[in-house]
Each structure stands twice: as C-alpha cells, then as structure tokens.
Amino acid sequence: MIRRASRRSAVLPFGAALLLASLPIPTSAHVERGPATGFLTGLEHPWSGLDHVLAMIAVGLWGAQLGNPAIWILPVTFPMVMAMGAMMGLLGISLPGVELGIATSAILLGAMVAGEVRPRLAVAAVLVGFFAIFHGHAHGTELPPGQNGMLYSMGFVIATGCLHAVGIAIGLLHRWPAGRLVMRGTGAVIALMGVRFLWRALT
Amino acid sequence: MGSLAGAALLVGHPATAAAHLVTTGMGPVYDGAGHLFLTPEDLVPVLAIALFAGLRGPAAGRRAMFLLPPAWLMGGLIGSVLRVGAPASTPALSFLVLGGLVASDLRAPVAWVSGLAVIVGLVHGFGNGAVLRDGAGTLGLIGIVAMSYVVVTLVAASVVSLRVPWMRIAVRVAGSWIAAVGLLMFGWALR
C-alpha cells in the first residue's frame, strides 16, 4: 500500500511535466529586434528566449542538487564562458549548430536534474561551460549595434545570473523529500522542452 | 597575427578626451562626486578593487582605502596636464582583471593589493584628468577622489566583516559577473 502510494507520488510530477511540456507555446527563442539601447534592454534580453531561460534555471537547479561547491562554481563558470561565446559572436567567429547546441543543453541539463546525476565537479563544470559557449554565441551574434555596449552587457550578465539564482532558489526544496521530487520533475519538464526546441531547430 | 596586432593597436590607442561631466548645479566638487556614481566605467573598478581588498582582509582593505584615492588624484593631475585620455580598452581591462581576481578569490599578498589599487587609481584618474580640465577642474577631481575613498572604505569594510560563508561566495559571483562584462566590452570594442 505504502509502496503504491510512493510510486504514485513519483509518477505525479513526471505526469505534470509531460502535460506542461505538451502545451502549445509561441516560438520566442533567440531573435531579438530593436536597438541595444542600454542596461534595461540587456536586462530584458536573456528572458526573451525560453530555451535560454530554462537552461539557466537548470544550471542553478543542478548546482543546488550537487551542493557545495558546485552550487556556486557552476553559476560562476557559466557567465564567464558565456561571455567568451558572446565575444566570439560579436567578432563574427562562426560556430556551427548553435541552435542545436542550445536545445541539447536544455535536454542534457534537464536530464541531469531529473536523474539527480552526480558526476565529478570538473565534469559538471566542463559540461556547463561547453553549453555556455553556444548560449553566449547566440546572444553575441544577435546583439545589434547599440548606444552603450557596456550597460547592455551589464544588464545581460546580471539577468543571466538572476536566472541562475531562480534555479538555486527552487533548489532550496532539495532539503525535503517531496521537494526533491518537485526538482526532478522540473528537470524532466526542462528536458522535454529541450526535445521540443531540438525538434523545432531540426525542422 | 596581423589582425591580432591591429586589434591590440585599436584597443590600446589613447582616446581623445571628448566626454563631459554631469552638472549637478551644486558646484564642481559635487559634479565630480556625481561623476563617479554616474560612470560605471569608473565606479565598477572601484567597487571591484574594494571587494578584492575586502576578501583579502583588514590589512589589504586599509591599504586600498589609503592608496587608491591619492593615486587617483595623481593620475588625474597628470592627465589634466597631458590632456590625453586613457586607452579606450581601459574599463574593459579593469573589469576583466579585477572581476577575475574577485571571482577567483586569489590569495594575493597585501603588497599586490596595494599595487593594484595604485594602478587602478592612476589609470582611471588619468582618464578623468583630461575631461576635468575643460569642466570642473581640480575641484571636480577632488570630488571624485573623495567619493572613491568613501566607496572603497564602505565596501571593503563590509566585505571584511562578512562571516557567513555564502556571503563571501556572493561576492565572488559578483566578481565573475564583472569579469564577464569586461569580456563582453572587449567584444563590443573589437566589433
């Protein structure tokens, strides 16, 4: 009886994840129009693509699952490597399969959270850093010439950091057994959404 | 190799002093004080060196507090005489180096922190000097220097007093953001 109840409680979040992932959403990823006018535009930009938002939250969630020091090393790694990717994009250095890389990042990072996978810290940091290049490159390529690149960059980096913080804040649930299930369910949602992004990138 | 050299030349080239101070209506000292708070290119490096000095302890914090403002004044006076702005890449380089140091929480000796504070003060003060000559003058420079002293003192002291480990981690995360902005600024400069 108890086993059936615990199985039901494990299935529920994943069922909810499946339901959420199958809801229709507008295609909003990664084509930003308008001038880069400054701090507020930069602050707004990372929130404009759901694939980026979900991957950032997954980084925070995974860091929270892995605990100290990953909880801060992963969010520190991401913006710095992402900035390198953005710099590549700004300089016009091409990177093949950017959209595929971004979609795959949502799948893999979501799967890591869903499976509560615990690799060595270096492996986790390299995985997060690898995908950060794709996210940074996409944003660097699409940043239009603006009035103040520095203010735009500050807004952009702070917004990305805040997305990680959202993931880490959700990760506080990890203290409780039910919270762990919710986190794993959230990871499953992110992975499923990643599959959708991948499908959209391929078709 | 040629393009890299060209890029290095571009970012290292001294800028012409074309900026102007914000006018507060309260006189040149306050114009200078307002300048620091309204110019992230100067404010963020001051914050970053204060964060780094704070992470390195009270001795480093005290050194930064007493060395950065006079170095800034010295740099400003030299800049106002020479009337040449600092290289355009100065803020990006400051963001990258200082942010990286804060993020890595490098166990640097106090002498290093002192040296960095002097370099940051001289370079950024130099950039201010040429601008101030046509505006608020030396009084404006004094306003900037006074505010830099206030900012370094308050921020370094706050970081030194942090006892909860995650607060120090938050400081390091802020450092990584500053370094990331520095990298992006290089990208914008070279675009």
Side-chain angles (χ1 to χ4, degrees):
Chain A
M1 189 69 173
I2 293 169
R3 190 180 298 166
R4 193 182 298 165
S6 69
R7 194 180 300 157
R8 195 180 300 155
S9 69
V11 166
L12 269 174
F14 287 94
L18 196 63
L19 187 71
L20 270 172
S22 62
L23 287 174
I25 49 162
T27 51
S28 56
H30 281 132
V31 182
E32 180 83 344
R33 303 281 182 209
T37 49
F39 183 74
L40 287 177
T41 319
L43 207 58
E44 185 191 27
H45 190 86
W47 301 85
S48 62
L50 189 60
D51 44 6
H52 186 69
V53 170
L54 291 178
M56 297 308 95
I57 290 175
V59 169
L61 281 172
W62 198 26
Q65 274 182 340
L66 294 174
N68 205 19
I71 194 167
W72 63 270
I73 284 184
L74 298 189
V76 163
T77 303
F78 198 96
M80 294 186 74
V81 184
M82 184 188 73
M84 283 182 208
M87 196 174 156
M88 284 168 64
L90 281 166
L91 295 177
I93 300 167
S94 63
L95 184 69
V98 171
E99 291 297 331
L100 295 180
I102 290 171
T104 311
S105 74
I107 296 172
L108 279 184
L109 292 170
M112 294 294 154
V113 176
E116 214 169 331
V117 180
R118 293 180 174 277
R120 291 173 62 185
L121 179 62
V123 175
V126 167
L127 188 70
V128 164
F130 175 72
F131 287 121
I133 293 174
F134 290 97
H135 285 269
H137 192 278
H139 288 296
T141 310
E142 70 198 10
L143 297 182
Q147 292 172 12
N148 192 320
M150 185 197 59
L151 288 177
Y152 185 90
S153 304
M154 286 172 78
F156 177 68
V157 171
I158 289 171
T160 299
C162 287
L163 283 170
H164 290 149
V166 168
I168 292 170
I170 298 172
L172 294 174
L173 294 170
H174 197 251
R175 295 175 187 179
W176 298 282
R180 280 179 209 151
L181 269 179
V182 170
M183 282 180 70
R184 295 181 69 176
T186 310
V189 172
I190 293 171
L192 285 170
M193 294 297 278
V195 173
R196 290 199 66 187
F197 299 140
L198 186 64
W199 178 255
R200 206 166 51 200
L202 288 170
T203 53
Chain B
M1 193 65 184
S3 60
L4 272 179
L9 191 70
L10 184 72
V11 296
H13 190 267
T16 49
H20 55 86
L21 278 186
V22 64
T23 307
T24 60
M26 294 188 289
V29 175
Y30 292 96
D31 289 354
H35 169 81
L36 186 68
F37 288 110
L38 294 171
T39 314
E41 291 95 329
D42 287 334
L43 180 63
V44 175
V46 172
L47 287 172
I49 189 74
L51 291 173
F52 184 55
L55 284 174
R56 295 282 52 83
R62 275 193 293 272
R63 292 273 190 98
M65 190 170 84
F66 289 116
L67 286 173
L68 183 121
W72 201 294
L73 182 66
M74 184 74 72
L77 292 173
I78 296 168
S80 66
V81 172
L82 297 179
R83 302 202 69 174
V84 179
S89 59
T90 302
L93 194 63
S94 296
F95 277 51
L96 187 58
V97 172
L98 296 171
L101 287 171
V102 175
S104 64
D105 194 10
L106 188 75
R107 306 261 179 246
V110 176
W112 282 33
V113 181
S114 309
L116 265 174
V118 170
I119 291 169
V120 169
L122 280 174
V123 171
H124 285 267
F126 185 79
N128 289 159
V131 178
L132 290 167
R133 181 167 165 153
D134 297 329
T138 310
L139 284 176
L141 189 60
I142 288 170
I144 297 176
V145 169
M147 279 305 109
S148 71
Y149 175 78
V150 171
V151 171
V152 171
T153 305
L154 291 177
V155 174
S158 303
V159 176
V160 165
S161 68
L162 294 177
R163 292 289 172 263
V164 189
W166 71 263
M167 293 288 280
R168 286 179 69 89
I169 288 170
V171 171
R172 295 180 67 176
V173 170
S176 77
W177 292 4
I178 294 170
V181 172
L183 266 176
L184 283 169
M185 285 164 71
F186 269 119
W188 283 98
L190 296 172
R191 193 179 196 185

